[in-house]
Amino acid sequence: MDQRFDTDKYESGYIPFYVEWVRPPRRILEVGVRKGGSLLLWCALWPSVESVVGIDIDELPVLPDPRITMFRADQGDTLALHRIATETGPFDLIIDDASHIGELSWHTFEALWPHVASGGVYVVEDWGTGYRADWPDGASYSPQPPPGHTAGMAAMIKRLVDEVEDGNVDRLDIIRGMAFVHKSA
Ligand SMILES: C[S@@+](CC[C@H](N)C(=O)[O-])C[C@H]1O[C@@H](n2cnc3c(N)ncnc32)[C@H](O)[C@@H]1O
């Protein structure tokens, strides 16, 4: 893929992990759109893509690909997320690249996880904000006994571990900045 789109996923080094850990999806939902570069990237990356849904709290961009649909909503509005996903899902891939606030991301996961199709993947990006003292709910790391974090994105990621034990999540792959939450086929 030689075309570059306006998304920071290149600089973050995330794209190879999507290629490795996500089977070519047909339907995608991304929360957090900005200029829409990542939505265009998904369409170019996987020829399998039939539809891409974007959700953002801010003004939505106008994008040239007819496979892309966008909705304006706050990721904390779980009823809106559920309504949009019911109308447009289920999805083979859902990405949370929005506020990176732990509580909001957790509620988003709770609202959207049921809309991940069997064998699908839910990706949480940039969870390292949970370690940033300058982030609204970031907490500087303290080498104390676990859980270490009870708030912020780091706590949100640790909460996903509970979902593995509960049997709601089939597999969890965590790397720096990204978590891949897999649903059983
Ligand atoms: C990091 S940017 C998304 C970048 C985009 N995914 C890309 O790769 O080009 C984060 C986006 O999340 C949106 N956002 C922030 N808080 C939000 C919220 N509470 N609900 C929905 N979207 C939110 C912002 O408006 C912004 O467009």
Side-chain angles (χ1 to χ4, degrees):
M1 189 184 56
D2 48 13
Q3 198 174 358
R4 278 185 79 89
F5 300 95
D6 187 353
T7 166
D8 63 4
K9 294 189 201 302
Y10 298 101
E11 291 73 24
S12 306
Y14 290 165
I15 297 169
F17 295 100
Y18 277 101
V19 171
E20 184 177 347
W21 279 333
V22 178
R23 278 183 299 185
R26 288 194 304 123
R27 282 186 282 195
I28 300 173
L29 167 64
E30 182 161 13
V31 189
V33 160
R34 203 172 57 92
K35 293 181 184 170
S38 54
L39 307 185
L40 294 168
L41 166 69
W42 305 136
C43 291
L45 185 63
W46 289 299
S48 58
V49 169
E50 292 171 5
S51 68
V52 177
V53 175
I55 297 176
D56 204 286
I57 197 170
D58 217 338
E59 195 173 331
L60 299 170
V62 176
L63 297 176
D65 196 306
R67 291 171 291 182
I68 299 173
T69 316
M70 284 170 288
F71 297 86
R72 200 164 177 178
D74 185 332
Q75 77 171 142
D77 184 348
T78 52
L79 285 179
L81 297 187
H82 178 67
R83 179 181 50 76
I84 293 165
T86 301
E87 281 172 16
T88 57
F91 301 96
D92 306 304
L93 171 63
I94 295 182
I95 301 134
D96 177 3
D97 186 20
S99 68
H100 309 304
I101 301 287
E103 195 176 347
L104 289 176
S105 281
W106 179 254
H107 290 314
T108 301
F109 175 77
E110 283 190 309
L112 294 181
W113 179 246
H115 298 280
V116 174
S118 300
V121 184
Y122 185 104
V123 178
V124 183
E125 288 196 7
D126 297 337
W127 58 270
T129 57
Y131 294 85
R132 281 177 51 173
D134 64 339
W135 203 256
D137 67 347
S140 51
Y141 177 67
S142 163
Q144 299 300 315
H149 282 82
T150 55
M153 285 302 288
M156 187 276 176
I157 294 297
K158 291 174 181 181
R159 183 81 190 268
L160 290 172
V161 175
D162 303 338
E163 296 297 309
V164 178
E165 171 59 17
D166 284 348
N168 298 327
V169 164
D170 189 41
R171 201 179 92 220
L172 180 59
D173 292 311
I174 302 174
I175 58 169
R176 197 158 196 260
M178 302 182 91
F180 289 78
V181 191
H182 300 267
K183 189 173 265 194
S184 57

